[in-house]
C-alpha cells in the first residue's frame, strides 16, 4: 500500500491518510441525504437516487484514488440536482427525459476528457462568466433551501415573502441554520453534516422525524431509467449544455484548487489531469445510468488535505465509507423526508459558492454587468441554463460596443449567437 500510493515520496503515512479520508467523508456526507431529498421531490424514486448517489461517488472516487492518486473525492454536485428539479417542474417533461440529458452530457464529458477542446473551452470562457455561473448556482441552491424550509413563501403581490418562523417546520429549519452556522464559523470539520445530525435529533424528540429502522440491505439498483429520445423531442439542448459546462468548470476549478493546497501542481499544471477528469466523467455517466445528476470533484476534499491527505489513499478511505453508507438507506430516507433538516445545508452551501465574486472587476462595466446578469437570472428564472445564456450573450455584446472585441474568444461569440436564437425562438419556460 505504501508503495502503490507512493506515501514516502509524498511525505505522508497510512494513519494520516486514513484520518484525512475520514475528515473528507464527514464534511461531504450531507450529499447522501440532500441529493435524494432534492431529486425525489422531482419524482425520481428515493431508493433509486440513493443508490445512484453512492454508486457514482464510489466509482469516481475509486478511479481518482487508484489511477490518479489524488486526495480528491467525487460525488453528485450540488446545484445540478436543484437545476434538475427545476427543469422537471418548469419544462413539463418527465424525470426520465432530464436524466437522458444528464446521460448525454456525461457521454460528451467522457469524450471531451480525451481531447484538446476541453482545455480550449475552459480557456476561452472569461473569468467573470465562470465566477458568475458558480455564484448564480449558489443563489439558486440557497433559494431552494429557503423555499423548502418555509422561510420564503409565495406571495400574490410580490411573488415571494417572508414566511412564518413560528410554524414548527420553519422554526426547526431556523434552529438548524443557527446551529450549523455556529459549527461552520467555529471551523468544526463536518459542520454541515453535524448540523443536520443535531437538527435531526431535535426533530425526533419533537415527533417531526419518524424513524422505523436505521439499517437494511441496500435497495436494488435501477439501470438506464432515462429517455434519450425525449431530449431531442423536447429540444433540451440548452439543458445538456448547462449540465456539461457547469460540470467541467466545477470539476476543473475544484481539482486545481485542492491540488494547489496539497502541493501537487507541477509548474502550474496538474499531472494526470486527464485521468482525474475522466474519473469525474465516468462517475457522472454511472450516476445518470442509475438515476442521479452529474458528479463533480468536491471542494470539501480540502478538509482532508488540511488534515494531511496527500495521496489516493485518502480517496480510497472516502470510497469505502460511502460503500458502508449503502446499508443506512432507511435512516437517510427518514431524514430526507423532513425539509427543515436538509434546508440549512442548501442555504450555507449557497454562500460557499459566492467567494469567487471577489475576482470580478466591478468597476469595469463590460465585465461586471454580464456577471450580474448571470447571478440575477439564475434564481429569478429558476433556470441555470437561462443564466448561462444571458452571460454568453451580454459579455461579447458589451465587449464589442466598448471597443474591446479582440478580448472575446470566437467560441464565446458563436455561443452568444446560438443562445440568442434559442432564447428568442426556443425559450425555456
Amino acid at each position: 500500500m505504501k508503495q502503490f500510493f507512493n506515501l514516502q515520496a509524498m511525505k505522508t503515512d497510512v494513519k494520516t491518510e486514513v484520518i484525512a479520508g475520514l475528515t473528507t467523508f464527514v464534511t461531504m456526507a450531507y450529499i447522501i441525504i440532500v441529493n435524494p431529498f432534492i431529486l425525489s421531490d422531482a419524482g425520481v424514486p428515493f431508493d433509486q437516487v440513493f443508490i445512484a448517489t453512492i454508486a457514482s461517488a464510489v466509482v469516481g472516487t475509486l478511479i481518482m484514488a487508484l489511477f490518479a492518486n489524488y486526495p480528491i473525492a467525487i460525488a453528485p454536485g450540488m446545484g445540478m440536482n436543484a437545476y434538475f428539479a427545476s427543469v422537471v417542474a418548469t419544462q413539463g417533461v418527465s424525470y426520465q427525459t432530464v436524466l437522458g440529458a444528464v446521460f448525454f452530457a456525461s457521454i460528451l464529458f467522457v469524450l471531451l476528457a480525451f481531447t484538446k477542446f476541453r482545455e480550449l473551452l475552459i480557456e476561452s470562457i472569461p473569468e467573470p462568466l465562470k465566477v458568475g455561473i458558480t455564484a448564480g448556482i449558489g443563489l439558486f441552491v440557497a433559494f431552494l433551501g429557503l423555499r423548502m424550509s418555509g422561510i420564503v413563501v409565495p406571495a400574490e403581490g410580490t411573488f415571494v415573502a417572508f414566511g412564518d418562523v413560528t410554524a414548527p417546520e420553519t422554526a426547526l429549519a431556523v434552529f438548524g441554520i443557527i446551529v450549523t452556522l455556529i459549527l461552520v464559523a467555529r471551523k468544526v470539520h463536518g459542520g454541515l453534516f453535524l448540523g443536520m445530525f443535531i437538527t435531526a435529533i431535535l426533530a425526533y424528540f419533537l415527533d417531526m422525524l419518524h424513524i422505523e429502522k436505521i439499517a437494511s440491505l441496500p435497495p436494488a439498483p435501477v439501470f438506464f431509467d432515462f429517455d434519450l429520445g425525449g431530449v431531442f423531442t423536447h429540444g433540451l439542448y440548452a439543458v445538456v449544455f448547462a449540465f456539461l459546462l457547469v460540470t467541467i468548470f466545477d470539476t476543473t476549478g475544484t481539482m486545481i484548487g485542492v491540488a494547489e493546497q496539497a502541493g501537487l501542481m507541477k509548474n502550474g499544471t496538474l499531472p494526470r489531469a486527464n485521468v482525474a477528469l475522466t474519473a469525474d466523467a465516468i462517475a457522472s455517466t454511472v450516476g445518470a445510468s442509475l438515476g442521479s445528476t452529474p458528479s463533480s470533484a468536491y471542494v470539501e476534499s480540502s478538509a482532508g488535505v488540511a488534515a494531511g491527505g496527500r495521496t489516493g489513499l485518502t480517496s480510497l478511505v472516502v470510497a469505502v465509507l460511502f460503500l458502508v453508507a449503502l446499508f443506512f438507506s432507511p435512516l437517510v430516507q427518514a431524514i430526507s423526508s423532513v425539509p427543515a433538516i436538509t434546508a440549512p445545508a442548501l442555504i450555507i452551501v449557497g454562500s460557499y459558492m459566492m467567494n469567487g465574486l471577489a475576482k470580478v472587476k466591478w468597476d469595469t462595466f463590460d465585465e461586471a454587468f454580464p456577471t450580474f446578469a448571470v447571478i440575477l437570472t439564475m434564481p429569478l428564472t429558476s433556470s441555470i441554463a437561462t443564466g448561462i445564456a444571458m452571460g454568453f450573450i451580454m459579455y461579447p455584446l458589451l465587449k464589442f460596443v466598448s471597443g474591446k472585441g479582440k478580448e472575446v474568444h470566437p467560441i464565446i461569440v458563436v455561443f452568444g449567437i446560438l443562445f440568442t436564437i434559442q432564447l428568442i425562438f426556443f425559450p425555456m419556460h
Side-chain angles (χ1 to χ4, degrees), residues 117-141:
F117 183 75
R118 172 187 55 80
E119 295 175 12
L120 179 64
L121 183 63
I122 293 170
E123 292 169 1
S124 67
I125 297 175
E127 192 67 22
L129 291 188
K130 293 177 184 175
V131 168
I133 290 169
T134 302
I137 293 172
L139 286 182
F140 187 92
V141 170

Side-chain angles (χ1 to χ4, degrees), residues 4-326:
F4 184 86
F5 291 108
N6 206 15
L7 299 186
Q8 190 171 356
M10 296 306 297
K11 299 178 181 179
T12 183
D13 53 51
V14 174
K15 180 182 177 182
T16 301
E17 295 289 302
V18 170
I19 292 173
L22 284 166
T23 302
T24 296
F25 177 76
V26 170
T27 58
M28 64 183 291
Y30 66 88
I31 194 62
I32 299 173
I33 298 172
V34 173
N35 202 48
F37 163 67
I38 294 175
L39 295 190
S40 60
D41 193 56
V44 191
F46 177 90
D47 285 348
Q48 187 175 339
V49 186
F50 178 76
I51 286 288
T53 300
I54 292 180
S56 55
V58 170
V59 169
T61 306
L62 277 179
I63 295 173
M64 187 70 73
L66 302 177
F67 297 97
N69 197 25
Y70 286 141
I72 301 173
I74 289 174
M78 284 297 297
M80 290 292 91
N81 43 22
Y83 177 50
F84 182 102
S86 74
V87 173
V88 173
T90 61
Q91 296 295 301
V93 295
S94 65
Y95 75 80
Q96 289 93 342
T97 299
V98 187
L99 279 178
V102 174
F103 184 79
F104 191 25
S106 300
I107 294 298
L108 289 176
F109 192 12
V110 171
L111 296 175
L112 288 177
F114 298 100
T115 70
K116 291 289 184 182
F117 183 75
R118 172 187 55 80
E119 295 175 12
L120 179 64
L121 183 63
I122 293 170
E123 292 169 1
S124 67
I125 297 175
E127 192 67 22
L129 291 188
K130 293 177 184 175
V131 168
I133 290 169
T134 302
I137 293 172
L139 286 182
F140 187 92
V141 170
F143 187 57
L144 176 67
L146 290 170
R147 284 194 293 113
M148 289 185 165
S149 64
I151 295 173
V152 169
V153 295
E156 191 171 326
T158 58
F159 292 106
V160 292
F162 191 60
D164 179 9
V165 293
T166 63
E169 278 276 350
T170 307
L172 179 65
V174 172
F175 169 82
I177 292 169
I178 293 171
V179 168
T180 310
L181 284 174
I182 292 171
L183 292 169
V184 172
R186 297 291 300 173
K187 298 182 180 178
V188 175
H189 285 315
L192 289 175
F193 181 75
L194 289 174
M196 285 198 297
F197 180 73
I198 293 169
T199 308
I201 290 175
L202 179 60
Y204 180 79
F205 283 110
L206 293 175
D207 200 33
M208 298 169 69
L209 171 62
H210 304 103
I211 300 174
E212 294 182 3
K213 58 181 179 177
I214 294 176
S216 70
L217 289 174
V222 178
F223 294 96
F224 307 114
D225 183 27
F226 54 72
D227 177 16
L228 270 180
V231 176
F232 302 98
T233 303
H234 296 280
L236 299 183
Y237 308 112
V239 175
V240 172
F241 184 71
F243 279 130
L244 176 63
L245 198 64
V246 173
T247 305
I248 290 175
F249 288 164
D250 197 13
T251 292
T252 306
T254 299
M255 284 184 184
I256 290 172
V258 175
E260 283 181 347
Q261 180 191 0
L264 301 173
M265 299 290 286
K266 306 294 182 184
N267 300 318
T269 61
L270 180 64
R272 305 182 299 282
N274 277 351
V275 177
L277 284 166
T278 302
D280 191 21
I282 293 175
S284 294
T285 308
V286 169
S289 300
L290 293 170
S292 183
T293 44
S295 294
S296 175
Y298 260 61
V299 73
E300 284 83 357
S301 302
S302 61
V305 169
R310 293 294 181 271
T311 73
L313 182 53
T314 295
S315 301
L316 178 61
V317 172
V318 175
V320 170
L321 290 172
F322 267 109
L323 273 175
V324 172
L326 269 176

Side-chain angles (χ1 to χ4, degrees), residues 257-404:
V258 175
E260 283 181 347
Q261 180 191 0
L264 301 173
M265 299 290 286
K266 306 294 182 184
N267 300 318
T269 61
L270 180 64
R272 305 182 299 282
N274 277 351
V275 177
L277 284 166
T278 302
D280 191 21
I282 293 175
S284 294
T285 308
V286 169
S289 300
L290 293 170
S292 183
T293 44
S295 294
S296 175
Y298 260 61
V299 73
E300 284 83 357
S301 302
S302 61
V305 169
R310 293 294 181 271
T311 73
L313 182 53
T314 295
S315 301
L316 178 61
V317 172
V318 175
V320 170
L321 290 172
F322 267 109
L323 273 175
V324 172
L326 269 176
F327 297 91
F328 295 92
S329 63
L331 178 62
V332 173
Q333 186 166 14
I335 293 173
S336 298
S337 67
V338 184
I341 298 174
T342 50
L346 294 174
I347 295 165
I348 295 170
V349 165
S351 75
Y352 288 166
M353 302 174 80
M354 300 290 117
N355 60 4
L357 293 177
K359 301 176 184 177
V360 180
K361 299 175 183 176
W362 292 105
D363 56 350
T364 305
F365 186 73
D366 53 23
E367 294 199 1
F369 189 82
T371 307
F372 170 73
V374 174
I375 297 170
L376 182 71
T377 306
M378 281 189 187
L380 294 185
T381 62
S382 293
S383 172
I384 289 173
T386 301
I388 292 173
M390 292 300 296
F392 274 80
I393 293 168
M394 290 295 173
Y395 187 85
L397 174 64
L398 293 182
K399 283 293 184 182
F400 277 111
V401 299
S402 300
K404 303 176 184 176

